[in-house]
Amino acid sequence: MIGGDAAGMSAASQARRMRGPDELEIVAFERGHFTSFSACGIPYWVSGDVDGRDRLIARTPEEHRARDIALRMRTEVTEIDVAAGRVRARDVDSGAESWTSYDKLVIATGARPVRPDLPGFDAPGVHGVQTLDDGQALLDSLTRARGRRAVVVGAGYIGVEMAEAMIKHGYEVTVVDRGEEPMSTLDPDMGRLVRRAMEGLGITMVGDAEVTKVLTGDDGGVRAVATEDAEYPADVVVLGIGVRPETALARAAGLPLGAHGGLLTDRAMRVRGHEDIWAGGDCVEVLDLVSGQQRHVPLGTHANKHGQVIGTNAGGGYATFPGVVGTAVSKVCDLEIGRTGLRERDARRVGLQFETVTVESTSRAGYYPGASPMTVKMLAERRTGRLLGVQIVGREGAAKRVDIAAVALTAGLTVEQMTALDLGYAPPFSPVWDPVLVAARKAATKVRDSAP
């Protein structure tokens, strides 16, 4: 196993359940200090919502070793020799190198944060947020910072979550993003709702802006982030530009990569063309069940499922991973954001004709205390009425409603069929017509009206 986080150690654990140590020897390499941790939880640890780093660790190296998994920490695999069935590994601390042979190989190298090759991005005070070490370095930087100004570069999931974390630390926060609106995983009209909410929290949003460099002071530390048009003072800079598959090893070994740079696998998570090599987690591309295209979707939910599939197959069983519909949720303070399926631009790119509707509703019955507004946008295929995607922005109770749409997308339901879903109802939880079903009714009507 190359990689000791979600996919790699899930695969190792599942393979061990399938086969005992006398039948299957399992060796895992991890170049960092931690295994099986929640990278998704780092913004909430940094913000103080999660009490301590150890709360994010699902299983320690010692716990894995107790299950007869030979886990080599602080050991980085530097080469895969596919022809000879072996990997070269280097001890990160001593530099010592050695070769280890394999009968079956699992690649779970994850993804790396995008760090622009621009002046100043390697300066002290500029932080990516991918590992627990990254989170600790950021917390240390927040403690040492001379002022209370933070600039977040990028307004995707990590960017908006880290903006919230900086607000909770009492920082003056500016978010700089190349997009017109934050959250490029949403359509711009829904992203605009997120921007307004962030501005309402006192966050300065700067859109349509390309960062050109990080400016440093006499001590070498950050002092500002520059775009073509302006400079934004900063004592701390947090990168939330996104991630790319970590596939340099795979590329050098000649393994097949897709258009997004991720490894290509079959439904059993076996690397295409290689009977005894599997790959999973953030380093692979997966099938989008709605568009039929390959996508890179780096999420812990998928990584753990990949690991279960890989471990079952490597252990002599059989399992498959069918694909994804692109479901994700996030929040900025009390604003919740959910999305699944295709955006308008995604549907156009694959040549689909579609109708869109947007509805305003509430999280509970309007007369029940605590009811809060919610906006639901829905896309449906023009002639068939097949659901294509849903985006939701609102307060408490908004984000997880996207799961209704995720199930409908996986099942291939039409918006007409969705209107008959037997969802739970009581005034403290929902209006009589749930907001998602209100959108489905409106979309079904629009599809019928557009029929030739």
Side-chain angles (χ1 to χ4, degrees):
M1 311 289 178
I2 306 176
D5 198 8
M9 299 319 293
S10 290
S13 298
Q14 179 65 9
R16 176 56 71 228
R17 294 186 193 101
M18 301 288 293
R19 295 288 186 90
D22 294 336
E23 299 177 287
L24 184 66
E25 179 186 3
I26 302 175
V27 179
F29 299 92
E30 169 53 47
R31 65 186 177 189
H33 293 94
F34 306 96
T35 59
S36 303
F37 65 88
S38 171
C40 301
I42 293 174
Y44 308 110
W45 163 40
V46 172
S47 71
D49 291 335
V50 173
D51 182 21
R53 179 187 66 195
D54 291 349
R55 300 280 293 173
L56 302 182
I57 300 173
R59 191 165 290 162
T60 65
E62 292 73 24
E63 289 173 315
H64 285 300
R65 290 174 182 137
R67 299 172 64 122
D68 294 301
I69 297 170
L71 178 57
R72 302 180 187 179
M73 298 298 294
R74 299 289 289 159
T75 307
E76 181 176 17
V77 173
T78 58
E79 183 181 350
I80 302 171
D81 185 345
V82 174
R86 60 179 187 166
V87 299
R88 187 207 301 266
R90 177 180 63 87
D91 185 290
V92 173
D93 299 315
S94 71
E97 294 190 338
S98 62
W99 287 95
T100 301
S101 297
Y102 66 82
D103 300 302
K104 302 175 182 182
L105 177 67
V106 177
I107 301 172
T109 45
R112 65 184 186 279
V114 175
R115 184 178 284 263
D117 186 18
L118 294 170
F121 272 85
D122 57 351
V126 179
H127 297 273
V129 188
Q130 183 73 6
T131 67
L132 296 184
D133 286 334
D134 294 336
Q136 188 61 60
L138 174 56
L139 283 170
D140 293 342
S141 192
L142 294 176
T143 301
R144 294 191 304 264
R146 295 160 299 182
R148 311 296 289 178
R149 299 168 301 182
V151 172
V152 179
V153 181
Y157 292 108
I158 293 296
V160 299
E161 289 166 0
M162 293 311 303
E164 174 185 351
M166 297 300 97
I167 284 285
K168 290 189 173 183
H169 277 275
Y171 273 68
E172 177 185 328
V173 180
T174 300
V175 178
V176 182
D177 189 63
R178 66 174 58 181
E180 176 187 358
E181 303 291 352
M183 300 293 292
S184 63
T185 53
L186 305 176
D187 286 322
D189 55 335
M190 298 296 282
R192 192 170 303 118
L193 301 177
V194 178
R195 173 171 57 81
R196 290 171 183 165
M198 294 178 73
E199 290 173 340
L201 296 169
I203 298 170
T204 300
M205 300 296 298
V206 181
D208 284 330
E210 287 279 357
V211 172
T212 56
K213 58 186 171 181
V214 171
L215 303 174
T216 57
D218 294 338
D219 61 354
V222 301
R223 67 172 181 84
V225 170
T227 67
E228 293 179 352
D229 303 317
E231 293 181 7
Y232 302 94
D235 301 292
V236 173
V237 175
V238 183
L239 303 180
I241 308 173
V243 297
R244 295 193 182 107
E246 182 62 272
T247 50
L249 268 178
R251 183 185 301 276
L255 300 178
L257 304 181
H260 305 282
L263 277 154
L264 296 176
T265 69
D266 61 17
R267 285 166 60 96
M269 303 308 298
R270 184 179 283 105
V271 174
R272 295 181 189 177
H274 295 270
E275 186 68 20
D276 296 316
I277 303 178
W278 289 265
D282 293 355
C283 65
V284 305
E285 296 184 13
V286 294
L287 175 66
D288 185 311
L289 297 174
V290 186
S291 70
Q293 306 290 310
Q294 293 293 125
R295 293 181 58 191
H296 180 235
V297 187
L299 287 174
T301 50
H302 304 157
N304 279 282
K305 292 170 187 173
H306 295 169
Q308 290 288 306
V309 170
I310 292 168
T312 298
N313 292 325
Y318 180 70
T320 62
F321 182 79
V324 304
V325 294
T327 308
V329 295
S330 187
K331 78 178 189 74
V332 187
C333 294
D334 67 342
L335 182 75
E336 297 184 2
I337 307 154
R339 58 94 61 213
T340 189
L342 306 183
R343 301 165 296 180
E344 291 190 32
R345 75 190 85 166
D346 302 322
R348 291 191 188 97
R349 186 171 59 245
V350 296
L352 292 171
Q353 295 184 329
F354 59 91
E355 301 291 345
T356 68
V357 297
T358 301
V359 301
E360 305 286 340
S361 187
T362 56
S363 58
R364 303 171 178 176
Y367 56 80
Y368 194 88
S372 58
M374 183 185 311
T375 303
V376 180
K377 180 174 183 178
M378 184 171 289
L379 279 71
E381 193 169 23
R382 180 164 294 164
R383 284 192 286 184
T384 68
R386 176 173 66 112
L387 179 67
L388 296 179
V390 170
Q391 300 162 37
I392 304 176
V393 176
R395 258 63 189 187
E396 181 183 2
K400 287 294 283 179
R401 272 186 164 87
V402 82
D403 288 344
I404 303 168
V407 173
L409 284 167
T410 304
L413 297 186
T414 66
V415 288
E416 185 73 47
Q417 289 170 324
M418 286 183 67
T419 63
L421 290 177
D422 186 12
L423 304 184
Y425 161 68
F429 304 104
S430 170
V432 171
W433 279 89
D434 188 90
V436 173
L437 298 191
V438 174
R441 286 177 62 187
K442 189 172 180 180
T445 299
K446 197 165 184 181
V447 167
R448 285 196 298 270
D449 291 346
S450 67

